[in-house]
């Protein structure tokens, strides 16, 4: 977790829902929602596939989704991309 991901960075993060995701989780969720595989997301973000899998598991839990299709639907409804990854 970076300083900008912590609740002490200026705002409290919600416990669940789209606004509860950290920056890293948002990046992974957005890229997965564009159709990339976990391996492709890992290459794009220069992290390991295991890291992507971990972030994705956290995203699924926070959003109460069980599939990539549900994640895409959720992302399309809630995303207001701040870091250049648009759906």
């Amino acid at each position: 977790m970076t300083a900008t991901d912590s609740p002490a960075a200026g705002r409290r993060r919600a416990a669940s829902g789209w606004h509860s995701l950290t920056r890293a989780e948002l990046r992974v969720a957005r890229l997965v929602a564009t159709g990339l595989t976990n391996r492709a997301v890992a290459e794009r973000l220069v992290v390991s596939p295991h890291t992507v899998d971990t972030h994705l598991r956290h995203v699924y839990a926070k959003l109460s989704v069980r599939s990539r299709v549900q994640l895409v639907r959720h992302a399309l409804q809630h995303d207001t991309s701040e870091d250049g990854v648009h759906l």
Side-chain angles (χ1 to χ4, degrees), residues 25-42 44-45 52-53 55-56 59-60 67-72 75 85 87:
E25 291 165 350
L26 279 169
R27 285 187 205 110
V28 168
R30 289 174 178 142
L31 290 169
V32 166
T34 67
L36 294 178
T37 64
N38 287 13
R39 185 168 300 279
V41 171
R44 174 84 56 96
L45 298 178
V52 171
D53 183 60
H55 287 313
L56 199 52
V59 168
Y60 278 27
S67 72
R68 288 170 110 80
V69 171
Q70 288 179 324
L71 175 58
V72 169
V85 179
L87 302 179

Side-chain angles (χ1 to χ4, degrees), residues 52-81:
V52 171
D53 183 60
T54 298
H55 287 313
L56 199 52
R57 280 187 282 116
H58 293 162
V59 168
Y60 278 27
K62 289 178 178 181
L63 300 181
S64 298
V65 299
R66 293 185 168 179
S67 72
R68 288 170 110 80
V69 171
Q70 288 179 324
L71 175 58
V72 169
R73 288 180 183 153
H74 207 290
L76 288 172
Q77 290 175 345
H78 298 94
D79 189 31
T80 57
S81 181

